[in-house]
Amino acid sequence: DIPVTKGTETGVRRTLTLKGFTGGHSGTEIICQRANTNVLMGRILMELNNEMSFFVTSISGGEKDNAIAKVGKLELLIQPSDAQTFTETIEKITATLKREYEVTDPDMQIVITEDNEEKETLVYHPSCTMKLMLALVHLPYGVVKMSNDIKGLVQTSLSLGIVETQEDSVRSVLSIRSSLESEKQLLADKIG
């Protein structure tokens, strides 16, 4: 859980919907290196942070803790003067991700929904947004170690299955798998 402090800001709303991703079981299909929408939302926040100011109002992604997240929704508040920068940045990110995942996630989409009515909205404090962004970007994801005994077998892996906005926090649920309990525990300790 990442604690979230909220306050009000005035601006226009933008909703990013991530859909069309392949997903799959986080045990058997983690080796396929498919995109995880929860991880990508962290990357989107990082790219936006490099270009402009914004506020997060809500984030959610994934459907099951043991699945590779294939859906996501990120709700943001921006200033009207940043609308063009926002759209251009998201288009650039989308093009980059489509190139990176053209084999594993050929139908991926990042859809922008605009609400251009300026209004006061409850948003995450910027320090909370920074913690959320850094957690999503830096949490390990995917295959951590392959088996030395059985060729082609994933020995240790993890997947960020669910991200959801709670009343005063953002909850992240990870699925950690390993055929060795010691490696599983080490990974849990690193994250915890």
Side-chain angles (χ1 to χ4, degrees):
D1 286 347
I2 298 170
V4 172
T5 305
K6 297 179 182 176
T8 56
E9 295 289 339
T10 302
V12 294
R13 294 178 70 113
R14 293 292 182 268
T15 301
L16 298 176
T17 304
L18 287 73
K19 61 183 186 177
F21 290 80
T22 306
H25 190 275
S26 67
T28 57
E29 295 170 306
I30 199 76
I31 197 168
C32 299
Q33 300 184 27
R34 295 173 182 157
N36 179 314
T37 54
N38 292 329
V39 174
L40 293 185
M41 286 192 288
R43 186 168 169 185
I44 289 167
L45 290 173
M46 184 178 67
E47 296 284 344
L48 281 172
N49 188 58
N50 291 336
E51 300 297 328
M52 57 181 281
S53 296
F54 63 89
F55 295 96
V56 174
T57 63
S58 177
I59 184 171
S60 62
E63 299 167 312
K64 296 179 182 175
D65 62 355
N66 67 347
I68 299 165
K70 63 180 183 177
V71 294
K73 184 183 259 188
L74 189 54
E75 297 180 355
L76 306 169
L77 188 76
I78 65 170
Q79 293 307 305
S81 57
D82 289 325
Q84 184 173 345
T85 301
F86 178 86
T87 301
E88 288 171 357
T89 303
I90 296 303
E91 287 172 352
K92 181 178 154 192
I93 295 167
T94 302
T96 298
L97 294 175
K98 283 189 175 201
R99 277 192 307 277
E100 290 179 9
Y101 293 100
E102 64 185 347
V103 174
T104 60
D105 297 83
D107 300 322
M108 65 155 286
Q109 295 178 52
I110 301 175
V111 179
I112 303 171
T113 305
E114 299 179 359
D115 179 352
N116 290 314
E117 182 186 343
E118 255 190 281
K119 52 187 156 186
E120 196 172 84
T121 304
L122 201 59
V123 300
Y124 297 3
H125 187 276
S127 65
C128 300
T129 296
M130 187 62 68
K131 286 178 188 173
L132 171 65
M133 177 186 73
L134 291 173
L136 293 176
V137 168
H138 291 290
L139 275 172
Y141 166 70
V143 176
V144 175
K145 186 175 180 187
M146 298 295 290
S147 172
N148 291 323
D149 299 322
I150 303 168
K151 186 174 175 143
L153 178 69
V154 176
Q155 181 167 298
T156 305
S157 68
L158 78 162
S159 179
L160 180 54
I162 296 174
V163 171
E164 58 188 5
T165 296
Q166 308 276 309
E167 188 172 329
D168 56 0
S169 68
V170 173
R171 172 161 287 173
S172 301
V173 183
L174 293 110
S175 178
I176 302 174
R177 300 171 181 275
S178 181
S179 57
L180 289 178
E181 185 60 33
S182 59
E183 288 187 3
K184 183 177 178 180
Q185 188 57 52
L186 176 63
L187 201 47
D189 290 345
K190 281 183 178 181
I191 293 166

PDB file of all heavy atoms in Angstrom, residues 157-189:
ATOM      1  N   SER A 157       9.845 -15.788 -10.651  1.00  0.00           N
ATOM      2  CA  SER A 157       9.265 -14.656 -11.391  1.00  0.00           C
ATOM      3  C   SER A 157       8.276 -13.921 -10.500  1.00  0.00           C
ATOM      4  O   SER A 157       7.881 -14.412  -9.440  1.00  0.00           O
ATOM      5  CB  SER A 157       8.548 -15.151 -12.650  1.00  0.00           C
ATOM      6  OG  SER A 157       7.395 -15.904 -12.296  1.00  0.00           O
ATOM      7  N   LEU A 158       7.878 -12.741 -10.956  1.00  0.00           N
ATOM      8  CA  LEU A 158       6.813 -12.015 -10.280  1.00  0.00           C
ATOM      9  C   LEU A 158       6.081 -11.125 -11.259  1.00  0.00           C
ATOM     10  O   LEU A 158       6.611 -10.758 -12.316  1.00  0.00           O
ATOM     11  CB  LEU A 158       7.346 -11.197  -9.112  1.00  0.00           C
ATOM     12  CG  LEU A 158       8.051  -9.892  -9.384  1.00  0.00           C
ATOM     13  CD1 LEU A 158       8.083  -9.076  -8.107  1.00  0.00           C
ATOM     14  CD2 LEU A 158       9.439 -10.122  -9.880  1.00  0.00           C
ATOM     15  N   SER A 159       4.829 -10.828 -10.906  1.00  0.00           N
ATOM     16  CA  SER A 159       3.993  -9.997 -11.763  1.00  0.00           C
ATOM     17  C   SER A 159       3.138  -9.077 -10.898  1.00  0.00           C
ATOM     18  O   SER A 159       2.584  -9.509  -9.878  1.00  0.00           O
ATOM     19  CB  SER A 159       3.089 -10.877 -12.633  1.00  0.00           C
ATOM     20  OG  SER A 159       2.267 -10.072 -13.451  1.00  0.00           O
ATOM     21  N   LEU A 160       3.058  -7.817 -11.294  1.00  0.00           N
ATOM     22  CA  LEU A 160       2.203  -6.836 -10.625  1.00  0.00           C
ATOM     23  C   LEU A 160       0.797  -7.003 -11.203  1.00  0.00           C
ATOM     24  O   LEU A 160       0.480  -6.465 -12.258  1.00  0.00           O
ATOM     25  CB  LEU A 160       2.749  -5.423 -10.857  1.00  0.00           C
ATOM     26  CG  LEU A 160       1.994  -4.261 -10.237  1.00  0.00           C
ATOM     27  CD1 LEU A 160       1.795  -4.448  -8.740  1.00  0.00           C
ATOM     28  CD2 LEU A 160       2.738  -2.967 -10.508  1.00  0.00           C
ATOM     29  N   GLY A 161      -0.022  -7.800 -10.526  1.00  0.00           N
ATOM     30  CA  GLY A 161      -1.321  -8.188 -11.065  1.00  0.00           C
ATOM     31  C   GLY A 161      -2.401  -7.139 -10.934  1.00  0.00           C
ATOM     32  O   GLY A 161      -3.225  -6.973 -11.828  1.00  0.00           O
ATOM     33  N   ILE A 162      -2.422  -6.438  -9.808  1.00  0.00           N
ATOM     34  CA  ILE A 162      -3.506  -5.482  -9.562  1.00  0.00           C
ATOM     35  C   ILE A 162      -2.950  -4.197  -8.962  1.00  0.00           C
ATOM     36  O   ILE A 162      -2.091  -4.230  -8.080  1.00  0.00           O
ATOM     37  CB  ILE A 162      -4.564  -6.074  -8.598  1.00  0.00           C
ATOM     38  CG1 ILE A 162      -5.242  -7.286  -9.227  1.00  0.00           C
ATOM     39  CG2 ILE A 162      -5.599  -5.026  -8.193  1.00  0.00           C
ATOM     40  CD1 ILE A 162      -6.198  -8.017  -8.309  1.00  0.00           C
ATOM     41  N   VAL A 163      -3.463  -3.069  -9.442  1.00  0.00           N
ATOM     42  CA  VAL A 163      -3.238  -1.761  -8.829  1.00  0.00           C
ATOM     43  C   VAL A 163      -4.616  -1.148  -8.672  1.00  0.00           C
ATOM     44  O   VAL A 163      -5.394  -1.106  -9.630  1.00  0.00           O
ATOM     45  CB  VAL A 163      -2.345  -0.852  -9.704  1.00  0.00           C
ATOM     46  CG1 VAL A 163      -2.305   0.562  -9.151  1.00  0.00           C
ATOM     47  CG2 VAL A 163      -0.934  -1.405  -9.798  1.00  0.00           C
ATOM     48  N   GLU A 164      -4.944  -0.695  -7.466  1.00  0.00           N
ATOM     49  CA  GLU A 164      -6.272  -0.112  -7.274  1.00  0.00           C
ATOM     50  C   GLU A 164      -6.222   1.037  -6.280  1.00  0.00           C
ATOM     51  O   GLU A 164      -5.463   1.013  -5.309  1.00  0.00           O
ATOM     52  CB  GLU A 164      -7.273  -1.174  -6.828  1.00  0.00           C
ATOM     53  CG  GLU A 164      -6.908  -1.891  -5.550  1.00  0.00           C
ATOM     54  CD  GLU A 164      -7.819  -3.063  -5.226  1.00  0.00           C
ATOM     55  OE1 GLU A 164      -8.692  -3.392  -6.043  1.00  0.00           O
ATOM     56  OE2 GLU A 164      -7.633  -3.653  -4.155  1.00  0.00           O
ATOM     57  N   THR A 165      -7.041   2.037  -6.544  1.00  0.00           N
ATOM     58  CA  THR A 165      -7.156   3.193  -5.666  1.00  0.00           C
ATOM     59  C   THR A 165      -8.078   2.845  -4.511  1.00  0.00           C
ATOM     60  O   THR A 165      -9.203   2.406  -4.730  1.00  0.00           O
ATOM     61  CB  THR A 165      -7.710   4.403  -6.444  1.00  0.00           C
ATOM     62  OG1 THR A 165      -6.766   4.762  -7.470  1.00  0.00           O
ATOM     63  CG2 THR A 165      -7.927   5.594  -5.543  1.00  0.00           C
ATOM     64  N   GLN A 166      -7.564   3.006  -3.299  1.00  0.00           N
ATOM     65  CA  GLN A 166      -8.359   2.855  -2.078  1.00  0.00           C
ATOM     66  C   GLN A 166      -8.696   4.265  -1.581  1.00  0.00           C
ATOM     67  O   GLN A 166      -8.317   5.250  -2.206  1.00  0.00           O
ATOM     68  CB  GLN A 166      -7.541   2.107  -1.021  1.00  0.00           C
ATOM     69  CG  GLN A 166      -6.945   0.801  -1.496  1.00  0.00           C
ATOM     70  CD  GLN A 166      -7.913  -0.341  -1.398  1.00  0.00           C
ATOM     71  OE1 GLN A 166      -8.519  -0.557  -0.356  1.00  0.00           O
ATOM     72  NE2 GLN A 166      -8.080  -1.074  -2.478  1.00  0.00           N
ATOM     73  N   GLU A 167      -9.368   4.347  -0.450  1.00  0.00           N
ATOM     74  CA  GLU A 167      -9.758   5.657   0.068  1.00  0.00           C
ATOM     75  C   GLU A 167      -8.556   6.537   0.373  1.00  0.00           C
ATOM     76  O   GLU A 167      -8.525   7.713   0.019  1.00  0.00           O
ATOM     77  CB  GLU A 167     -10.613   5.486   1.328  1.00  0.00           C
ATOM     78  CG  GLU A 167     -11.210   6.801   1.803  1.00  0.00           C
ATOM     79  CD  GLU A 167     -12.213   6.608   2.928  1.00  0.00           C
ATOM     80  OE1 GLU A 167     -12.886   5.572   2.976  1.00  0.00           O
ATOM     81  OE2 GLU A 167     -12.307   7.517   3.756  1.00  0.00           O
ATOM     82  N   ASP A 168      -7.532   5.964   1.019  1.00  0.00           N
ATOM     83  CA  ASP A 168      -6.364   6.773   1.393  1.00  0.00           C
ATOM     84  C   ASP A 168      -5.038   6.119   1.002  1.00  0.00           C
ATOM     85  O   ASP A 168      -4.002   6.370   1.609  1.00  0.00           O
ATOM     86  CB  ASP A 168      -6.387   7.084   2.889  1.00  0.00           C
ATOM     87  CG  ASP A 168      -6.458   5.816   3.745  1.00  0.00           C
ATOM     88  OD1 ASP A 168      -6.480   4.707   3.171  1.00  0.00           O
ATOM     89  OD2 ASP A 168      -6.499   5.947   4.984  1.00  0.00           O
ATOM     90  N   SER A 169      -5.084   5.260  -0.021  1.00  0.00           N
ATOM     91  CA  SER A 169      -3.862   4.611  -0.495  1.00  0.00           C
ATOM     92  C   SER A 169      -4.074   4.048  -1.896  1.00  0.00           C
ATOM     93  O   SER A 169      -5.193   3.995  -2.397  1.00  0.00           O
ATOM     94  CB  SER A 169      -3.451   3.469   0.450  1.00  0.00           C
ATOM     95  OG  SER A 169      -4.385   2.406   0.383  1.00  0.00           O
ATOM     96  N   VAL A 170      -2.955   3.651  -2.498  1.00  0.00           N
ATOM     97  CA  VAL A 170      -3.008   2.874  -3.736  1.00  0.00           C
ATOM     98  C   VAL A 170      -2.453   1.501  -3.380  1.00  0.00           C
ATOM     99  O   VAL A 170      -1.330   1.395  -2.876  1.00  0.00           O
ATOM    100  CB  VAL A 170      -2.178   3.514  -4.875  1.00  0.00           C
ATOM    101  CG1 VAL A 170      -2.123   2.588  -6.081  1.00  0.00           C
ATOM    102  CG2 VAL A 170      -2.769   4.857  -5.267  1.00  0.00           C
ATOM    103  N   ARG A 171      -3.255   0.469  -3.611  1.00  0.00           N
ATOM    104  CA  ARG A 171      -2.853  -0.905  -3.273  1.00  0.00           C
ATOM    105  C   ARG A 171      -2.314  -1.593  -4.512  1.00  0.00           C
ATOM    106  O   ARG A 171      -2.912  -1.550  -5.580  1.00  0.00           O
ATOM    107  CB  ARG A 171      -4.040  -1.673  -2.723  1.00  0.00           C
ATOM    108  CG  ARG A 171      -3.728  -3.156  -2.542  1.00  0.00           C
ATOM    109  CD  ARG A 171      -4.678  -3.815  -1.621  1.00  0.00           C
ATOM    110  NE  ARG A 171      -4.348  -3.347  -0.273  1.00  0.00           N
ATOM    111  CZ  ARG A 171      -5.078  -3.626   0.805  1.00  0.00           C
ATOM    112  NH1 ARG A 171      -6.152  -4.347   0.695  1.00  0.00           N
ATOM    113  NH2 ARG A 171      -4.714  -3.182   1.977  1.00  0.00           N
ATOM    114  N   SER A 172      -1.156  -2.236  -4.352  1.00  0.00           N
ATOM    115  CA  SER A 172      -0.547  -3.027  -5.417  1.00  0.00           C
ATOM    116  C   SER A 172      -0.471  -4.471  -4.949  1.00  0.00           C
ATOM    117  O   SER A 172      -0.004  -4.737  -3.844  1.00  0.00           O
ATOM    118  CB  SER A 172       0.871  -2.524  -5.723  1.00  0.00           C
ATOM    119  OG  SER A 172       0.836  -1.179  -6.109  1.00  0.00           O
ATOM    120  N   VAL A 173      -0.931  -5.386  -5.796  1.00  0.00           N
ATOM    121  CA  VAL A 173      -0.907  -6.807  -5.453  1.00  0.00           C
ATOM    122  C   VAL A 173      -0.005  -7.525  -6.444  1.00  0.00           C
ATOM    123  O   VAL A 173      -0.229  -7.483  -7.653  1.00  0.00           O
ATOM    124  CB  VAL A 173      -2.326  -7.425  -5.490  1.00  0.00           C
ATOM    125  CG1 VAL A 173      -2.277  -8.890  -5.064  1.00  0.00           C
ATOM    126  CG2 VAL A 173      -3.279  -6.638  -4.597  1.00  0.00           C
ATOM    127  N   LEU A 174       1.055  -8.150  -5.909  1.00  0.00           N
ATOM    128  CA  LEU A 174       2.027  -8.864  -6.735  1.00  0.00           C
ATOM    129  C   LEU A 174       1.890 -10.364  -6.526  1.00  0.00           C
ATOM    130  O   LEU A 174       1.587 -10.818  -5.430  1.00  0.00           O
ATOM    131  CB  LEU A 174       3.452  -8.452  -6.361  1.00  0.00           C
ATOM    132  CG  LEU A 174       3.810  -7.016  -6.676  1.00  0.00           C
ATOM    133  CD1 LEU A 174       3.945  -6.219  -5.416  1.00  0.00           C
ATOM    134  CD2 LEU A 174       5.082  -6.979  -7.472  1.00  0.00           C
ATOM    135  N   SER A 175       2.156 -11.114  -7.578  1.00  0.00           N
ATOM    136  CA  SER A 175       2.206 -12.564  -7.500  1.00  0.00           C
ATOM    137  C   SER A 175       3.663 -12.979  -7.676  1.00  0.00           C
ATOM    138  O   SER A 175       4.262 -12.735  -8.725  1.00  0.00           O
ATOM    139  CB  SER A 175       1.333 -13.185  -8.593  1.00  0.00           C
ATOM    140  OG  SER A 175       1.420 -14.589  -8.554  1.00  0.00           O
ATOM    141  N   ILE A 176       4.231 -13.569  -6.617  1.00  0.00           N
ATOM    142  CA  ILE A 176       5.624 -14.017  -6.650  1.00  0.00           C
ATOM    143  C   ILE A 176       5.626 -15.535  -6.731  1.00  0.00           C
ATOM    144  O   ILE A 176       4.953 -16.206  -5.955  1.00  0.00           O
ATOM    145  CB  ILE A 176       6.386 -13.568  -5.387  1.00  0.00           C
ATOM    146  CG1 ILE A 176       6.332 -12.045  -5.249  1.00  0.00           C
ATOM    147  CG2 ILE A 176       7.827 -14.059  -5.423  1.00  0.00           C
ATOM    148  CD1 ILE A 176       6.923 -11.526  -3.957  1.00  0.00           C
ATOM    149  N   ARG A 177       6.385 -16.086  -7.694  1.00  0.00           N
ATOM    150  CA  ARG A 177       6.440 -17.536  -7.888  1.00  0.00           C
ATOM    151  C   ARG A 177       7.890 -17.990  -7.936  1.00  0.00           C
ATOM    152  O   ARG A 177       8.730 -17.320  -8.512  1.00  0.00           O
ATOM    153  CB  ARG A 177       5.785 -17.923  -9.212  1.00  0.00           C
ATOM    154  CG  ARG A 177       4.341 -17.539  -9.318  1.00  0.00           C
ATOM    155  CD  ARG A 177       3.826 -17.770 -10.735  1.00  0.00           C
ATOM    156  NE  ARG A 177       2.459 -17.380 -10.851  1.00  0.00           N
ATOM    157  CZ  ARG A 177       1.423 -18.143 -10.539  1.00  0.00           C
ATOM    158  NH1 ARG A 177       1.616 -19.361 -10.105  1.00  0.00           N
ATOM    159  NH2 ARG A 177       0.190 -17.697 -10.676  1.00  0.00           N
ATOM    160  N   SER A 178       8.136 -19.143  -7.343  1.00  0.00           N
ATOM    161  CA  SER A 178       9.454 -19.763  -7.445  1.00  0.00           C
ATOM    162  C   SER A 178       9.362 -21.224  -7.045  1.00  0.00           C
ATOM    163  O   SER A 178       8.575 -21.583  -6.164  1.00  0.00           O
ATOM    164  CB  SER A 178      10.471 -19.052  -6.546  1.00  0.00           C
ATOM    165  OG  SER A 178      11.740 -19.659  -6.691  1.00  0.00           O
ATOM    166  N   SER A 179      10.167 -22.045  -7.686  1.00  0.00           N
ATOM    167  CA  SER A 179      10.255 -23.450  -7.284  1.00  0.00           C
ATOM    168  C   SER A 179      11.172 -23.613  -6.075  1.00  0.00           C
ATOM    169  O   SER A 179      11.242 -24.685  -5.488  1.00  0.00           O
ATOM    170  CB  SER A 179      10.741 -24.310  -8.458  1.00  0.00           C
ATOM    171  OG  SER A 179      11.982 -23.831  -8.930  1.00  0.00           O
ATOM    172  N   LEU A 180      11.861 -22.534  -5.691  1.00  0.00           N
ATOM    173  CA  LEU A 180      12.696 -22.535  -4.492  1.00  0.00           C
ATOM    174  C   LEU A 180      12.131 -21.530  -3.489  1.00  0.00           C
ATOM    175  O   LEU A 180      12.061 -20.330  -3.778  1.00  0.00           O
ATOM    176  CB  LEU A 180      14.139 -22.159  -4.826  1.00  0.00           C
ATOM    177  CG  LEU A 180      14.970 -23.181  -5.604  1.00  0.00           C
ATOM    178  CD1 LEU A 180      16.347 -22.625  -5.882  1.00  0.00           C
ATOM    179  CD2 LEU A 180      15.072 -24.496  -4.849  1.00  0.00           C
ATOM    180  N   GLU A 181      11.746 -22.008  -2.343  1.00  0.00           N
ATOM    181  CA  GLU A 181      11.150 -21.141  -1.323  1.00  0.00           C
ATOM    182  C   GLU A 181      12.106 -20.020  -0.914  1.00  0.00           C
ATOM    183  O   GLU A 181      11.682 -18.890  -0.674  1.00  0.00           O
ATOM    184  CB  GLU A 181      10.753 -21.978  -0.095  1.00  0.00           C
ATOM    185  CG  GLU A 181      10.014 -21.192   0.974  1.00  0.00           C
ATOM    186  CD  GLU A 181       8.704 -20.577   0.491  1.00  0.00           C
ATOM    187  OE1 GLU A 181       8.016 -21.166  -0.364  1.00  0.00           O
ATOM    188  OE2 GLU A 181       8.374 -19.476   0.979  1.00  0.00           O
ATOM    189  N   SER A 182      13.410 -20.302  -0.874  1.00  0.00           N
ATOM    190  CA  SER A 182      14.384 -19.282  -0.467  1.00  0.00           C
ATOM    191  C   SER A 182      14.414 -18.110  -1.444  1.00  0.00           C
ATOM    192  O   SER A 182      14.513 -16.950  -1.032  1.00  0.00           O
ATOM    193  CB  SER A 182      15.780 -19.901  -0.339  1.00  0.00           C
ATOM    194  OG  SER A 182      16.189 -20.480  -1.579  1.00  0.00           O
ATOM    195  N   GLU A 183      14.315 -18.386  -2.754  1.00  0.00           N
ATOM    196  CA  GLU A 183      14.308 -17.306  -3.751  1.00  0.00           C
ATOM    197  C   GLU A 183      13.002 -16.518  -3.693  1.00  0.00           C
ATOM    198  O   GLU A 183      12.994 -15.301  -3.862  1.00  0.00           O
ATOM    199  CB  GLU A 183      14.535 -17.875  -5.152  1.00  0.00           C
ATOM    200  CG  GLU A 183      15.956 -18.338  -5.368  1.00  0.00           C
ATOM    201  CD  GLU A 183      16.239 -18.747  -6.806  1.00  0.00           C
ATOM    202  OE1 GLU A 183      15.349 -18.628  -7.671  1.00  0.00           O
ATOM    203  OE2 GLU A 183      17.368 -19.189  -7.059  1.00  0.00           O
ATOM    204  N   LYS A 184      11.917 -17.218  -3.456  1.00  0.00           N
ATOM    205  CA  LYS A 184      10.618 -16.556  -3.320  1.00  0.00           C
ATOM    206  C   LYS A 184      10.649 -15.600  -2.115  1.00  0.00           C
ATOM    207  O   LYS A 184      10.214 -14.447  -2.228  1.00  0.00           O
ATOM    208  CB  LYS A 184       9.528 -17.615  -3.145  1.00  0.00           C
ATOM    209  CG  LYS A 184       8.131 -17.067  -3.065  1.00  0.00           C
ATOM    210  CD  LYS A 184       7.141 -18.224  -2.970  1.00  0.00           C
ATOM    211  CE  LYS A 184       5.725 -17.719  -2.843  1.00  0.00           C
ATOM    212  NZ  LYS A 184       4.760 -18.825  -2.755  1.00  0.00           N
ATOM    213  N   GLN A 185      11.186 -16.060  -0.991  1.00  0.00           N
ATOM    214  CA  GLN A 185      11.248 -15.242   0.206  1.00  0.00           C
ATOM    215  C   GLN A 185      12.194 -14.048   0.010  1.00  0.00           C
ATOM    216  O   GLN A 185      11.890 -12.937   0.426  1.00  0.00           O
ATOM    217  CB  GLN A 185      11.711 -16.070   1.404  1.00  0.00           C
ATOM    218  CG  GLN A 185      11.618 -15.325   2.727  1.00  0.00           C
ATOM    219  CD  GLN A 185      10.221 -14.829   3.026  1.00  0.00           C
ATOM    220  OE1 GLN A 185       9.260 -15.594   2.987  1.00  0.00           O
ATOM    221  NE2 GLN A 185      10.087 -13.541   3.313  1.00  0.00           N
ATOM    222  N   LEU A 186      13.310 -14.270  -0.665  1.00  0.00           N
ATOM    223  CA  LEU A 186      14.245 -13.182  -0.932  1.00  0.00           C
ATOM    224  C   LEU A 186      13.587 -12.084  -1.754  1.00  0.00           C
ATOM    225  O   LEU A 186      13.729 -10.897  -1.467  1.00  0.00           O
ATOM    226  CB  LEU A 186      15.488 -13.707  -1.650  1.00  0.00           C
ATOM    227  CG  LEU A 186      16.519 -12.651  -2.068  1.00  0.00           C
ATOM    228  CD1 LEU A 186      17.098 -11.936  -0.863  1.00  0.00           C
ATOM    229  CD2 LEU A 186      17.630 -13.289  -2.899  1.00  0.00           C
ATOM    230  N   LEU A 187      12.839 -12.481  -2.770  1.00  0.00           N
ATOM    231  CA  LEU A 187      12.150 -11.519  -3.624  1.00  0.00           C
ATOM    232  C   LEU A 187      11.104 -10.751  -2.828  1.00  0.00           C
ATOM    233  O   LEU A 187      10.971  -9.527  -2.963  1.00  0.00           O
ATOM    234  CB  LEU A 187      11.522 -12.244  -4.811  1.00  0.00           C
ATOM    235  CG  LEU A 187      11.189 -11.463  -6.060  1.00  0.00           C
ATOM    236  CD1 LEU A 187      12.322 -10.559  -6.503  1.00  0.00           C
ATOM    237  CD2 LEU A 187      10.778 -12.399  -7.171  1.00  0.00           C
ATOM    238  N   ALA A 188      10.358 -11.452  -1.979  1.00  0.00           N
ATOM    239  CA  ALA A 188       9.347 -10.789  -1.135  1.00  0.00           C
ATOM    240  C   ALA A 188      10.014  -9.797  -0.183  1.00  0.00           C
ATOM    241  O   ALA A 188       9.509  -8.686   0.020  1.00  0.00           O
ATOM    242  CB  ALA A 188       8.566 -11.835  -0.345  1.00  0.00           C
ATOM    243  N   ASP A 189      11.167 -10.169   0.365  1.00  0.00           N
ATOM    244  CA  ASP A 189      11.893  -9.272   1.266  1.00  0.00           C
ATOM    245  C   ASP A 189      12.406  -8.030   0.541  1.00  0.00           C
ATOM    246  O   ASP A 189      12.393  -6.930   1.079  1.00  0.00           O
ATOM    247  CB  ASP A 189      13.074 -10.009   1.913  1.00  0.00           C
ATOM    248  CG  ASP A 189      12.630 -11.058   2.916  1.00  0.00           C
ATOM    249  OD1 ASP A 189      11.446 -11.041   3.330  1.00  0.00           O
ATOM    250  OD2 ASP A 189      13.458 -11.922   3.275  1.00  0.00           O
TER     251      ASP A 189
END
